[in-house]
mmCIF file of all heavy atoms in Angstrom:
data_model
loop_
_atom_site.group_PDB
_atom_site.id
_atom_site.type_symbol
_atom_site.label_atom_id
_atom_site.label_comp_id
_atom_site.label_asym_id
_atom_site.label_seq_id
_atom_site.Cartn_x
_atom_site.Cartn_y
_atom_site.Cartn_z
ATOM 1 N N PRO A 192 35.878 0.756 -6.880
ATOM 2 C CA PRO A 192 35.052 1.888 -7.284
ATOM 3 C C PRO A 192 33.689 1.890 -6.595
ATOM 4 O O PRO A 192 33.219 0.839 -6.126
ATOM 5 C CB PRO A 192 34.894 1.685 -8.804
ATOM 6 C CG PRO A 192 35.066 0.225 -8.999
ATOM 7 C CD PRO A 192 36.089 -0.202 -7.979
ATOM 8 N N LEU A 193 33.086 3.038 -6.541
ATOM 9 C CA LEU A 193 31.766 3.177 -5.934
ATOM 10 C C LEU A 193 30.712 2.746 -6.943
ATOM 11 O O LEU A 193 30.498 3.399 -7.954
ATOM 12 C CB LEU A 193 31.533 4.629 -5.505
ATOM 13 C CG LEU A 193 30.282 4.880 -4.655
ATOM 14 C CD1 LEU A 193 30.426 4.232 -3.286
ATOM 15 C CD2 LEU A 193 30.041 6.377 -4.507
ATOM 16 N N THR A 194 30.068 1.634 -6.676
ATOM 17 C CA THR A 194 29.041 1.077 -7.548
ATOM 18 C C THR A 194 27.705 1.084 -6.812
ATOM 19 O O THR A 194 27.660 1.360 -5.605
ATOM 20 C CB THR A 194 29.403 -0.358 -7.949
ATOM 21 O OG1 THR A 194 29.368 -1.180 -6.761
ATOM 22 C CG2 THR A 194 30.802 -0.425 -8.572
ATOM 23 N N PRO A 195 26.614 0.761 -7.493
ATOM 24 C CA PRO A 195 25.333 0.668 -6.787
ATOM 25 C C PRO A 195 25.351 -0.302 -5.609
ATOM 26 O O PRO A 195 24.671 -0.070 -4.602
ATOM 27 C CB PRO A 195 24.371 0.210 -7.894
ATOM 28 C CG PRO A 195 24.933 0.788 -9.138
ATOM 29 C CD PRO A 195 26.418 0.691 -8.963
ATOM 30 N N VAL A 196 26.130 -1.379 -5.720
ATOM 31 C CA VAL A 196 26.213 -2.339 -4.615
ATOM 32 C C VAL A 196 26.883 -1.708 -3.402
ATOM 33 O O VAL A 196 26.420 -1.857 -2.269
ATOM 34 C CB VAL A 196 26.981 -3.604 -5.049
ATOM 35 C CG1 VAL A 196 27.220 -4.523 -3.853
ATOM 36 C CG2 VAL A 196 26.224 -4.342 -6.139
ATOM 37 N N SER A 197 27.978 -0.996 -3.612
ATOM 38 C CA SER A 197 28.665 -0.355 -2.493
ATOM 39 C C SER A 197 27.836 0.785 -1.919
ATOM 40 O O SER A 197 27.841 1.013 -0.706
ATOM 41 C CB SER A 197 30.046 0.147 -2.925
ATOM 42 O OG SER A 197 29.974 0.944 -4.084
ATOM 43 N N VAL A 198 27.100 1.498 -2.768
ATOM 44 C CA VAL A 198 26.189 2.536 -2.287
ATOM 45 C C VAL A 198 25.107 1.910 -1.411
ATOM 46 O O VAL A 198 24.699 2.474 -0.394
ATOM 47 C CB VAL A 198 25.558 3.301 -3.464
ATOM 48 C CG1 VAL A 198 24.436 4.214 -2.977
ATOM 49 C CG2 VAL A 198 26.611 4.134 -4.176
ATOM 50 N N ALA A 199 24.639 0.714 -1.802
ATOM 51 C CA ALA A 199 23.636 -0.002 -1.020
ATOM 52 C C ALA A 199 24.175 -0.379 0.354
ATOM 53 O O ALA A 199 23.482 -0.263 1.371
ATOM 54 C CB ALA A 199 23.187 -1.251 -1.770
ATOM 55 N N ILE A 200 25.420 -0.833 0.406
ATOM 56 C CA ILE A 200 26.037 -1.186 1.688
ATOM 57 C C ILE A 200 26.152 0.041 2.581
ATOM 58 O O ILE A 200 25.859 -0.011 3.782
ATOM 59 C CB ILE A 200 27.421 -1.821 1.452
ATOM 60 C CG1 ILE A 200 27.274 -3.150 0.717
ATOM 61 C CG2 ILE A 200 28.151 -2.030 2.782
ATOM 62 C CD1 ILE A 200 28.598 -3.760 0.281
ATOM 63 N N CYS A 201 26.575 1.154 2.019
ATOM 64 C CA CYS A 201 26.667 2.407 2.779
ATOM 65 C C CYS A 201 25.299 2.806 3.329
ATOM 66 O O CYS A 201 25.173 3.252 4.469
ATOM 67 C CB CYS A 201 27.209 3.524 1.890
ATOM 68 S SG CYS A 201 28.917 3.292 1.342
ATOM 69 N N GLY A 202 24.257 2.639 2.505
ATOM 70 C CA GLY A 202 22.909 2.974 2.942
ATOM 71 C C GLY A 202 22.416 2.064 4.042
ATOM 72 O O GLY A 202 21.742 2.508 4.981
ATOM 73 N N ALA A 203 22.749 0.767 3.951
ATOM 74 C CA ALA A 203 22.317 -0.192 4.966
ATOM 75 C C ALA A 203 22.953 0.111 6.318
ATOM 76 O O ALA A 203 22.274 0.119 7.353
ATOM 77 C CB ALA A 203 22.666 -1.604 4.519
ATOM 78 N N VAL A 204 24.253 0.379 6.330
ATOM 79 C CA VAL A 204 24.959 0.639 7.586
ATOM 80 C C VAL A 204 24.493 1.947 8.220
ATOM 81 O O VAL A 204 24.198 2.006 9.424
ATOM 82 C CB VAL A 204 26.486 0.676 7.356
ATOM 83 C CG1 VAL A 204 27.212 1.070 8.632
ATOM 84 C CG2 VAL A 204 26.976 -0.676 6.859
ATOM 85 N N SER A 205 24.403 2.997 7.432
ATOM 86 C CA SER A 205 23.970 4.292 7.966
ATOM 87 C C SER A 205 22.522 4.222 8.447
ATOM 88 O O SER A 205 22.164 4.807 9.474
ATOM 89 C CB SER A 205 24.131 5.380 6.907
ATOM 90 O OG SER A 205 23.347 5.106 5.760
#
Side-chain angles (χ1 to χ4, degrees):
L193 189 68
T194 66
V196 173
S197 52
V198 170
I200 295 172
C201 294
V204 175
S205 61

